[in-house]
Amino acid sequence: MEYTFSNKISGLKPSAVREILKSTADPEVISFAAGNPAPEAFPVDAVKRIAHDIFEDETILALQYGVTEGYGPLIDELTALVKRRLNIGREGDALIVTSGATQVMELMTKVLCNEGDTVITEEPSFIGSLNCFRSYGCHLAGVPVEADGMDVDALEDVLNANPKARFIYTIPNFQNPSGATMSAAKRQKLYDIACKHNVMVLEDNPYGDLRVSGEDVPTIKSLDTEGRVVYAGTFSKVISPGIRVGYVVGPAEVIAKMTVGKQTEDVHTAMFAQLLVYHWLQEYDYDEHVAHMRTIYAKKLNPCVTS
Ligand SMILES: Cc1ncc(COP(=O)(O)O)c(C=O)c1O
């Protein structure tokens, strides 16, 4: 049979992703191409024990359908976590659990963009997100990345040229692929420009916890007084990417639409994975784990570091 595929999928070129995955599979190669976290940073013993306990004590909960928004107690834990660590918690915002941060990019595009709409991205940016935007028929408008993050003066020009842009996609911490971290001043400027041009912001922050030196920089979401920033978080680099647990914080109205969009994708994020993250957050010290991970990554950056 001859298959005819949709324009959405036909426009995507898998070759770059395939090449990246090929190189990470070769044990002789230390690949900087994909965002695979260090396996020695996975909390393996904790995960094994919690997984065992879940299937002993909460078997049916783990095996049954759950609600699309996510497991309630996990939502409460995450809400407290982002408030405490990132100063995220604006009145009028909501949080749902997603299947990785990848699903946040997908839901954001699904609820905000029609075919032909423009998404503004850093140039270069994460290929997975770019492919997601493209798969919805979005036009991409790039803004160069400098050593201290997105060139916000150029952003203003790009917005002037694309006044109907639907949102600005940014990875402010250790940007993939450039590695650049956006300065606090630029974050504020980006937010002010977004307000001036009445455009939303999608802040993708998978790497913020992996900082090995210097001070944490406030999230753009923590500057958000108007409900125009949607924040994508993930446990992929903190626990493991295989569990596929992420979350999104944003204006309740947008999150409600995302929930409807998620229903037709996966109904809900796997209950077992959500329970795993919930118990891990309850039983272990997040800050201690992050400090431990940072020593692992600091050693990778500079193998001479001894502690
Ligand atoms: C910038 C960026 N966003 C999102 C993701 C995907 O995250 P998740 O595993 O939570 O879907 C990655 C993965 O490497 C990434 O580099």
Side-chain angles (χ1 to χ4, degrees):
M1 149 141 205
E2 209 172 286
Y3 301 101
T4 311
F5 293 107
S6 67
N7 293 341
K8 270 185 184 159
I9 206 71
S10 302
L12 295 186
K13 295 187 182 60
S15 57
V17 175
R18 208 166 46 217
E19 289 311 312
I20 287 171
L21 292 178
K22 244 198 281 175
S23 68
T24 58
D26 182 347
E28 293 297 307
V29 172
I30 298 173
S31 174
F32 290 93
N36 288 20
E40 61 270 37
F42 297 162
V44 173
D45 291 339
V47 166
K48 276 188 190 166
R49 190 192 53 72
I50 294 170
H52 175 267
D53 289 352
I54 290 170
F55 283 116
E56 278 293 313
D57 305 333
E58 295 173 299
T59 324
I60 301 304
L61 190 58
L63 298 181
Q64 189 53 279
Y65 280 119
V67 295
T68 303
E69 288 85 345
Y71 178 53
L74 176 60
I75 292 176
D76 294 344
E77 278 287 334
L78 294 176
T79 304
L81 183 75
V82 297
K83 179 76 198 156
R84 182 176 67 76
R85 283 188 63 92
L86 303 170
N87 191 26
I88 290 175
R90 188 187 150 269
E91 204 171 315
D93 274 352
L95 181 152
I96 59 169
V97 181
T98 58
S99 298
T102 299
Q103 194 175 42
V104 181
M105 295 0 131
E106 205 273 340
L107 292 173
M108 181 84 172
T109 321
K110 193 181 210 172
V111 306
L112 289 179
C113 298
N114 291 312
E115 209 147 307
D117 279 346
T118 297
V119 173
I120 297 183
T121 75
E122 286 150 346
E123 189 178 355
S125 186
F126 173 46
I127 190 163
S129 299
L130 299 183
N131 270 347
C132 163
F133 307 145
R134 287 189 187 114
S135 77
Y136 279 86
C138 292
H139 161 71
L140 304 183
V143 182
V145 180
E146 301 173 313
D148 60 348
M150 187 191 284
D151 177 347
V152 284
D153 294 324
L155 170 64
E156 184 108 57
D157 297 338
V158 171
L159 275 165
N160 284 329
N162 296 277
K164 292 199 175 137
R166 300 299 290 145
F167 61 87
I168 303 163
Y169 171 65
T170 178
I171 308 160
N173 290 314
F174 318 115
Q175 201 253 9
N176 183 354
S178 71
T181 290
M182 198 186 295
S183 65
K186 278 192 167 180
R187 291 176 197 218
Q188 184 64 59
K189 190 150 183 210
L190 182 151
Y191 181 70
D192 293 343
I193 290 172
C195 292
K196 181 174 151 197
H197 289 263
N198 194 24
V199 63
M200 291 192 71
V201 177
L202 174 55
E203 178 175 23
D204 182 17
N205 185 24
Y207 301 111
D209 279 332
L210 304 187
R211 169 179 288 284
V212 296
S213 64
E215 293 292 308
D216 289 334
V217 186
T219 58
I220 301 169
K221 182 65 189 158
S222 69
L223 310 171
D224 185 18
T225 52
E226 297 191 350
R228 66 173 65 251
V229 182
V230 171
Y231 177 89
T234 179
F235 282 89
S236 283
K237 322 293 169 176
V238 179
I239 298 183
S240 109
I243 57 171
R244 311 304 305 134
V245 176
Y247 55 94
V248 54
V249 187
E253 213 177 317
V254 176
I255 297 294
K257 290 284 185 211
M258 285 186 169
T259 307
V260 175
K262 183 174 162 69
Q263 265 158 15
T264 59
E265 291 178 10
D266 56 3
V267 184
H268 60 82
T269 298
M271 281 304 292
F272 167 67
Q274 293 193 69
L275 286 167
L276 190 66
V277 174
Y278 170 67
H279 287 293
W280 184 80
L281 285 172
Q282 283 254 304
E283 295 169 34
Y284 291 86
D285 187 324
Y286 189 97
D287 297 358
E288 225 170 71
H289 175 68
V290 165
H292 169 66
M293 276 197 323
R294 287 179 179 192
T295 62
I296 293 172
Y297 284 98
K299 262 192 202 137
K300 282 179 175 292
L301 187 65
N302 179 0
C304 301
V305 172
T306 51
S307 60

